[in-house]
């Protein structure tokens, strides 16, 4: 019997987490979809503003309640400190909601700005739940456009539009926290692509395949995998004379990060030469563990790699 799903989706305001959370819950058939803002309102009813002034502000302007502002060397540090204090009052209640869902064997999706990697103790649920934590990100221009639309939709445009800079600082902070704690950061450029990448992590539909191609074909191989919402895990090089392959941990699922890697490879000639030497020693043979959002996508991905002549059939 499988464990209940606990899916946590964090991001700054205006990135699109509510839309993604709703779509993901629908695909997975999860009926419990909870916004952390609702949980915050309950906590506000218990803890008054005289005891927790940061809680009774928004996540992006909680910094105004900090008394010793002068000890923060930058404006970003001050904004993040206010956000941390604001979120810290909500997180214990979020953990109680997760515990109740796990105890009742209910699947749940929780989304909100208060889901801060490193603040929520997800380890306590690992044995009893299939827990997945994501942080959504977006380039600044896309974020600004969505932020404006959201502010106008909820009819609080005047207040919210003044605080885009603060929300952008919180966005960067959440991405840094995610990187530090091993939480996937997913660029939410398109709904369909974002959901597919998340399903790739959640469903774990994977297969290890062996490939042969040179360094110049890495970009094409990677693009083929990412086109189907796939993910590349680990790489093993089969070097003549060694009984065990040379293994390296990788986790490639984001097109933007992949583009950055290829750009850095072209800039750093020494790095590219080192990679070419490994490929030469292995006769261009290596293996990957490929994961996909569903069986159909996995099969299409492998079929295309085969048609391009990369796949080694054993």
């Amino acid at each position: 019997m499988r464990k209940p799903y606990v899916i946590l989706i964090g991001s700054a305001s205006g990135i699109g987490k509510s839309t993604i959370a709703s779509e993901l819950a629908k695909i997975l058939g999860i009926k419990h979809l909870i916004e952390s803002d609702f949980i915050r309102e309950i906590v506000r009813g218990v803890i008054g503003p005289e005891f927790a002034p940061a809680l009774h502000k928004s996540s992006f302007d909680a910094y105004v309640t900090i008394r010793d502002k002068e000890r923060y060397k930058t404006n970003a540090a001050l904004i993040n400190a206010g956000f941390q204090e604001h979120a810290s009052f909500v997180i214990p209640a979020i953990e109680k909601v997760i515990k109740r869902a796990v105890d009742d064997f209910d699947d749940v999706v929780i989304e909100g700005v208060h889901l801060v990697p490193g603040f929520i103790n997800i380890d306590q649920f690992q044995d009893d739940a299939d827990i997945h934590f994501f942080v959504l990100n977006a380039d600044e221009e896309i974020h600004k456009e969505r932020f404006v639309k959201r502010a106008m939709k909820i009819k609080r445009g005047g207040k919210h539009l003044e605080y885009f800079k603060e929300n952008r600082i919180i966005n960067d902070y959440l991405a840094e926290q995610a990187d530090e704690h091993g939480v996937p950061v997913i660029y939410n450029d398109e709904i369909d692509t974002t959901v597919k990448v998340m399903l790739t992590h959640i469903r774990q539909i994977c297969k290890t395949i062996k490939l042969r191609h040179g360094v110049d074909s890495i970009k094409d191989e990677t693009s083929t995998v990412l086109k189907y919402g796939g993910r590349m895990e680990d790489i093993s090089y089969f070097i003549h004379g060694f009984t065990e392959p040379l293994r390296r941990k990788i986790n490639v699922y984001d097109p933007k990060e992949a583009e950055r890697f290829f750009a850095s490879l072209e800039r750093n000639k020494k790095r590219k030469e080192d990679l070419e030497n490994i490929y030469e020693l292995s006769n261009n043979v290596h293996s990957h563990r490929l994961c996909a959002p569903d069986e159909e996508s996995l099969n299409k991905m492998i079929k295309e790699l085969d048609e391009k002549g990369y796949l080694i059939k054993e």
Side-chain angles (χ1 to χ4, degrees), residues 6 8 36 39 43 87-103 108 110 114-116 118-125 131 133:
V6 174
L8 309 176
S36 68
I39 299 174
V43 178
S88 67
F89 287 103
V90 184
I91 285 169
I94 293 174
E95 291 179 348
K96 291 293 185 184
V97 171
I98 296 173
K99 186 177 186 306
R100 179 58 186 266
V102 172
D103 289 346
V108 64
I110 304 176
H114 307 95
L115 300 170
V116 185
F119 280 40
I120 298 180
N121 179 13
I122 61 174
D123 290 342
Q124 62 184 306
F125 308 111
I131 188 162
F133 200 164

Side-chain angles (χ1 to χ4, degrees), residues 113-153:
V113 68
H114 307 95
L115 300 170
V116 185
F119 280 40
I120 298 180
N121 179 13
I122 61 174
D123 290 342
Q124 62 184 306
F125 308 111
Q126 292 288 5
D127 292 338
D128 302 310
D130 189 2
I131 188 162
H132 297 274
F133 200 164
F134 304 95
V135 166
L136 301 184
N137 200 346
D139 290 334
E140 187 167 353
E141 287 305 312
I142 294 175
H143 186 189
K144 184 180 290 185
E145 181 181 341
R146 291 176 182 166
F147 187 80
V148 171
K149 286 182 179 178
R150 181 181 183 276
M152 302 311 296
K153 183 178 180 181

Side-chain angles (χ1 to χ4, degrees), residues 20 25 38 40 99 157 178 215 247 298:
I20 296 300
F38 291 145
R40 179 192 61 190
K99 186 177 186 306
V215 170
R247 294 186 175 90
L298 182 63

Side-chain angles (χ1 to χ4, degrees), residues 76-210:
L78 176 63
I79 291 166
N80 287 332
F83 169 61
Q84 291 163 9
E85 187 167 343
H86 173 87
S88 67
F89 287 103
V90 184
I91 285 169
I94 293 174
E95 291 179 348
K96 291 293 185 184
V97 171
I98 296 173
K99 186 177 186 306
R100 179 58 186 266
V102 172
D103 289 346
D104 290 349
F105 203 84
D106 278 332
D107 299 324
V108 64
V109 176
I110 304 176
E111 58 93 353
V113 68
H114 307 95
L115 300 170
V116 185
F119 280 40
I120 298 180
N121 179 13
I122 61 174
D123 290 342
Q124 62 184 306
F125 308 111
Q126 292 288 5
D127 292 338
D128 302 310
D130 189 2
I131 188 162
H132 297 274
F133 200 164
F134 304 95
V135 166
L136 301 184
N137 200 346
D139 290 334
E140 187 167 353
E141 287 305 312
I142 294 175
H143 186 189
K144 184 180 290 185
E145 181 181 341
R146 291 176 182 166
F147 187 80
V148 171
K149 286 182 179 178
R150 181 181 183 276
M152 302 311 296
K153 183 178 180 181
I154 62 178
K155 299 180 180 178
R156 284 186 284 171
K159 178 182 178 182
H160 277 60
L161 292 177
E162 295 174 8
Y163 288 98
F164 175 74
K165 181 180 71 174
E166 286 83 352
N167 273 281
R168 192 64 193 170
I169 288 170
I170 290 170
N171 172 83
D172 295 343
Y173 170 74
L174 287 171
E176 289 169 5
Q177 284 291 111
D179 285 340
E180 185 177 334
H181 291 89
V183 172
V185 177
I186 300 173
Y187 278 83
N188 184 28
D189 288 349
E190 297 178 1
I191 295 174
D192 184 57
T193 302
T194 301
V195 170
K196 281 183 177 180
V197 171
M198 294 169 80
L199 288 172
T200 298
H201 285 82
I202 294 166
R203 286 175 167 166
Q204 288 294 311
I205 299 172
C206 306
K207 185 175 183 179
T208 299
I209 64 170
K210 190 176 283 188

Side-chain angles (χ1 to χ4, degrees), residues 193 196 221-230 255 301 304 308:
T193 302
K196 281 183 177 180
E221 175 203 11
T222 305
S223 299
T224 302
V225 173
L226 297 182
K227 180 173 74 174
Y228 294 99
M301 182 196 309
E304 185 167 335
K308 290 182 174 182

